[in-house]
Amino acid sequence: MDGEHFAVSGLERERERLPPIYNSSHPTGLGRGVKSLSQRREPGRGLAVGMTTGSLTSNHWLRHGRELPPLCLDVRQKPVKARLSIDTLPPEVKAPFPSDPVIPTRTKTCRGFTEDMDRANQTGDWRDVREFYLTTFDSFIEINAAFKREANGSFNTIDDSGVNAKFVNAVYDALLSTPQDIQKSVLKGIINSLLREWKGPRTKDDLRAYFILVQNPQYSSTSTYVIYAHLLRQIAALSEADHHFLVHWLKKLSSRRFRQLVERLLQFISTRLFPGEPDDLPPLSKCSWWIPSATRVLGLFNAANSVSSSPIMPFTDFYNITLEHIDFMEEYRTWQSYGNSNRFSFCQFPFILSTSVKKAIIQKDSEQQMISQARQSLVSKVSRRQRVDMNLLFLNIKVRRAQLLSDSLDELTRKRCDLKKKLRVTFVGEAGLDMGGLTKEWFLLLVREIFHTDYGMFTYMKDSRCHWFSSWKCDNYSEFQLVGTLMGLAVYNSIALDIHFPLYCYRKLLTPPTAPCDQNALVGMATANLEDLQQIMPELARGLGELLSYEGNIEEDFYLTFQVLQEEMGVVKSYNLKPGGDKIPVTKHNRKEYVQLYIDFLLNKSIYKQFAAFYHGFHSVCASDALMLLRPEEVEMLVCGSPELDMSALQKAAQYEGYSKTDTTIRCLWEVVLSFPLELQKKLLHFATGSDRVPVGGMADLNFKISKIDVPTDWLPISHTCFNQICLPPYRTRKELKHKLTIAISNAEGFGLE
């Protein structure tokens, strides 16, 4: 069935299902004969279409429901190309160009509406309220007449929608408490409006109508989903310039209203994917455009959240957990094959995918790359008729504890072709089979040594409690590449590292998200501002902020030039921020440029070679398109896990072997653990798992096990980090258990037989 025909017939069926609107004398059921904005433009439509911003009409997109244009996260208005003007036409083909319709003036105010509602609830006479709702949702013109602050004001800016938000909220908050016939009349009015308004170019009054209609609370019910879907489809099909306006209007909504609309869209997508009753919704084959349309509109809300001065809601609240139960690898493969083209995939809109889904995609993508790498090695050996050694299936790292850093660097450099194989670590001279625990310890010890202040690769910033790259210059930056490789291996092998980089570091790591083929191409040069500097050097950021707001004579009071001094390995060196900078004074007129160049120098240029080596090390392992799906915060979660410990969640997820959760020893254990300070809780987690961080999936993903060991109670607890397991003697008292456990977790470095 043709998509456009089905769209119309679906709405018409919904209209027929609803009862006739009261006092209707008009054949459409609207009773007032007021033409819509698009209808009033009808005589000039041919010219009007030719004079749009160059995007296809919504009629085109409605005809191809699965081919709606992808919404960019940074919604910006495209430059308008040269267009046909009526002034350039010969006189004989010119026709009168209709002006925009005049919106009727309505006198109902928010206070008057509230009084009508109070009177209706007291007397049971709903005539005034019914008439208001019937009139208001009769057409796009009437919606503007009711809710526009000035009926015929232009309000053609992104800063002001011109909508009386307080009145809209009052009308919608009251709607669900009105009699059913009023609620149904509103829905029927919306259907009629959508049937009229789905073709032709848009005015700002049309956008206002869509902006108001999408806030209707009636769409929470599945019985209204057909109407809601058509509204979302029309909004999704608007031009990029129109989306730009909607994004900025949406960010002005109250946080409560904004969250309600986001949750409603997420629920709509979830219900369409997994309906409660099969007959609740039309067959998926006939409305395959529902989910793409809703996801694109959700993208507008995500964009509004991003461009807001401070986020309206956490980015994690845009995650749709339901998507963890779909074939997300099929979505990923579709996205890899078609990119952001007409073929819809949730990966085009990564904000909706939880970190758990993204982690699973990266893991499966990594596994496929690992298998492919191992298969190539195997085939190569067989083809040369050489004896097959199963070690070739692994990235085997052999290191001495006393030479941990140099051995690790040598091994990773020598075996750089094997980085995508499964990692297996051996400590020379120790009898240990690596089933995960030795690998975790290798990462932990290596990170501790690399980030030690005496080593000098990274500087620890006390004020911000994070590490940053040292700016000292050298001939070989291979150790920075080692750190990047180490981080990549941790993500690749699903191991959380105890690394403290600022969020800006992960933004640099995604600039660009995939390594360029040209080794000389610039990498990691993320745009930096004062807020980014605040994450790393808060004291300096405050000083530069004061410079920007200083009211006095900057030249005389600060005596600055476009030259900065920097200490490197005990030697103070000077650098010009621009050519001849030592001779250019900082003034009130150029101080913004000075601050921007200084920040860029500190966070990008002064450490470029160090970070470039680090970047290429990371991407030599994590060369996956899946990185394009990640936010900097999510990369940090994948690398480090979460520092937020919830021992109650660990208690709920714990498994027992030889014990039950009601045994005295287990009850004492959890009483002790839950009373531990945070540092001891971290040590316990490190003792049991080899890391003091929580994986992306939470405590439940640890598969934490407590086993009974039949030894005397003067023994200390034993851990098997490769299995995330603690072996606990049957201690009889809480005091004894606390004493033994504290000793064990405080002296956990060095592994015996695993």
Side-chain angles (χ1 to χ4, degrees), residues 337-349:
S337 300
Y338 297 95
N340 290 330
S341 66
N342 297 334
R343 182 80 176 270
F344 174 79
S345 164
F346 281 114
C347 291
Q348 293 171 323
F349 305 90

Side-chain angles (χ1 to χ4, degrees), residues 52-98:
T52 59
T53 57
S55 49
L56 295 173
T57 64
S58 56
N59 188 22
H60 169 87
W61 295 116
L62 289 163
R63 198 177 288 121
H64 304 279
R66 291 180 61 84
E67 302 181 359
L68 296 172
L71 171 69
C72 298
L73 291 180
D74 52 338
V75 183
R76 295 186 296 270
Q77 189 168 355
K78 292 181 178 177
V80 179
K81 299 177 181 178
R83 298 175 295 188
L84 179 65
S85 168
I86 193 168
D87 296 327
T88 65
L89 295 174
E92 60 272 15
V93 299
K94 287 186 180 180
F97 195 84

Side-chain angles (χ1 to χ4, degrees), residues 597-614:
L597 289 174
Y598 194 8
I599 293 171
D600 188 53
F601 172 78
L602 289 171
L603 303 189
N604 286 317
K605 292 179 179 175
S606 67
I607 58 161
Y608 180 76
K609 290 184 178 179
Q610 294 89 322
F611 193 88
F614 173 78

Side-chain angles (χ1 to χ4, degrees), residues 265-363:
L265 282 162
L266 289 170
Q267 184 61 38
F268 176 84
I269 292 168
S270 298
T271 306
R272 178 63 275 185
L273 283 170
F274 303 104
E277 295 292 336
D279 296 334
D280 280 354
L281 302 173
L284 187 58
S285 60
K286 292 187 176 181
C287 52
S288 57
W289 47 269
W290 280 29
I291 289 173
S293 296
T295 308
R296 285 179 171 88
V297 175
L298 187 63
L300 295 175
F301 283 87
N302 180 64
N305 196 53
S306 299
V307 301
S308 180
S309 54
S310 59
I312 303 165
M313 54 193 284
F315 70 89
T316 51
D317 288 352
F318 282 86
Y319 291 163
N320 191 324
I321 306 304
T322 307
L323 301 183
E324 295 178 9
H325 304 289
I326 67 170
D327 186 353
F328 45 76
M329 287 309 295
E330 179 60 30
E331 296 286 325
Y332 178 63
R333 285 188 288 269
T334 298
W335 175 68
Q336 279 187 306
S337 300
Y338 297 95
N340 290 330
S341 66
N342 297 334
R343 182 80 176 270
F344 174 79
S345 164
F346 281 114
C347 291
Q348 293 171 323
F349 305 90
F351 62 82
I352 200 174
L353 301 175
S354 68
T355 312
S356 297
V357 168
K358 292 168 185 171
K359 178 187 176 184
I361 290 174
I362 290 174
Q363 282 182 327

